Amino acid sequence: MQGTRTPTSSPSADAYTPTDRTVPTRSAERASYDRELVHSILDQGYVGHLGFVRDGAPVVLPTLYGRVGERLYVHGSTGSRPLRMTGQADPGLAVCLTVTHVDALVLARSAFHHSINYRSVVVHGIAHDVTDPEEKRAALDALVDHVVPGRAADSRPANKKELAATAVIRLDLDEVSAKLRTGGVNDDPEDLSLPYWAGLVPLRKGYGTPVADGDLSADVRLPDYLTVS
Amino acid sequence: MQGTRTPTSSPSADAYTPTDRTVPTRSAERASYDRELVHSILDQGYVGHLGFVRDGAPVVLPTLYGRVGERLYVHGSTGSRPLRMTGQADPGLAVCLTVTHVDALVLARSAFHHSINYRSVVVHGIAHDVTDPEEKRAALDALVDHVVPGRAADSRPANKKELAATAVIRLDLDEVSAKLRTGGVNDDPEDLSLPYWAGLVPLRKGYGTPVADGDLSADVRLPDYLTVS
């Protein structure tokens, strides 16, 4: 519907189109559909929370994931429940994958205005089993590079047996939203003089000191991409 | 069924009873039902991921939570979707709440054995609307103390208007499991001499330097409970 779009509610190459499911009922001003922002939130996360429905009830499991353009990939053993369910479902398994970063604690003078600064992405869609060998291999590279960028090229690639033991599912980035809280404390004006400390407590991020495996050959040095930040 | 329990599969005061939903299909050796371990994982988390079913599809949203004994509480605006749905559902809303900590990246020589060290808790159950004023107030204290222990007593309690604007739901800790990966790299013996760095990369935790609100009275000092760790 490119011809009918208006500037105020335009889907574009740079943004996802809001849907009933991706417009929050509360704090809509914290929602964003910006593609670059969504990608950056996804790319900085280590673990996503994958939701699916089993016997009518919700199940939420933590999972590693990787992104290739507008596709997310989740992998696991061929025996794991959501991956097996995806392979058996036609046309696929309805899922919701959510990634959240907690950036800071927001301590207000009032209990009511306590909050956290966070960035989250919620992806709704249908997960499909990845059967194409090339797509599967690219997805596994993306999963390893997601943990540490550049790492896939600096490790032994999966062999045939490992590929056969691994199931990969794909979730297209289509029905997607980000939600964020940033900024400071929002206390009511009449509370500002209360004798309680108020402010932001940032949470620390980044790598601690790497611990080399005991069997590491003496001539293998710590790679630059693991330098403590 | 105390009389019939056996040492190998005993529910006890110290452990949750495994169910079909809480016994993983994969890596069952990583699962635990230990009550103290479950509590500690829950208490150290900032955000949980709450799953519920809406129009037959899964939804997973990040949420703050608090624990009082064997009860978890989630709060939000009375207008937020899962909280409104809980109030309208009889006898409550089927939910799954999952909390995950990522402790370290596990870099193996083989792409296949890359992993993360994590601790997670998955809680299945029915969420109920909290209507008792005393339980609601205690739940809100627990939510604030969950963000920073001791903080509820060092802030202005919610007033009537704030209490009325806040919905609280309760989820009993009954059908619960923890899952953990700890330890080092699990490379295959034939890969040990490969020229790739292998080991653990711990992720940093704890508080960064607090940033006081600009309107803070000059005589309010940083409380001891925010000392950078």
Side-chain angles (χ1 to χ4, degrees), chain B residues 25-212:
Chain B
T25 47
R26 294 292 306 176
S27 307
E29 77 285 357
R30 294 184 184 168
S32 168
Y33 306 92
D34 183 83
R35 203 174 289 267
E36 202 173 325
L37 176 66
V38 164
H39 289 179
S40 78
I41 292 172
L42 289 173
D43 293 352
Q44 290 171 39
Y46 288 113
V47 159
H49 282 80
L50 182 74
F52 56 100
V53 180
R54 182 178 173 233
D55 298 336
V59 180
V60 179
L61 298 179
T63 183
L64 294 172
Y65 63 95
R67 182 177 71 84
V68 178
E70 295 298 325
R71 293 175 162 187
L72 286 187
Y73 293 98
V74 169
H75 78 325
S77 151
T78 50
S80 94
R81 203 166 265 152
L83 277 69
R84 216 175 45 204
M85 285 173 71
T86 300
Q88 291 165 353
D90 182 18
L93 184 70
V95 299
C96 180
L97 191 116
T98 300
V99 173
T100 306
H101 303 273
V102 181
D103 295 323
L105 313 178
V106 181
L107 272 59
R109 297 154 182 89
S110 60
F112 184 75
H113 284 296
H114 276 68
S115 188
I116 55 166
N117 279 348
Y118 68 96
R119 291 165 293 141
S120 67
V121 164
V122 177
V123 183
H124 298 269
I126 304 292
H128 295 278
D129 209 14
V130 173
T131 52
D132 178 76
E134 269 187 55
E135 183 181 5
K136 192 168 174 179
R137 202 173 266 286
L140 293 177
D141 280 352
L143 274 146
V144 171
D145 279 337
H146 186 89
V147 175
V148 177
R151 179 69 184 179
D154 193 32
S155 57
R156 174 180 68 67
N159 58 35
K160 274 192 179 177
K161 190 181 152 196
E162 292 167 344
L163 279 174
T166 307
V168 175
I169 59 177
R170 180 184 70 234
L171 175 62
D172 290 337
L173 293 176
D174 182 28
E175 195 169 351
V176 183
S177 60
K179 203 169 176 187
L180 305 85
R181 187 199 191 280
T182 57
V185 173
N186 284 338
D187 265 318
D188 299 331
E190 60 268 32
D191 286 338
L192 293 182
S193 59
L194 289 176
Y196 307 120
W197 189 89
L200 296 181
V201 182
L203 297 181
R204 302 203 309 171
K205 310 258 171 176
Y207 297 156
T209 306
V211 181

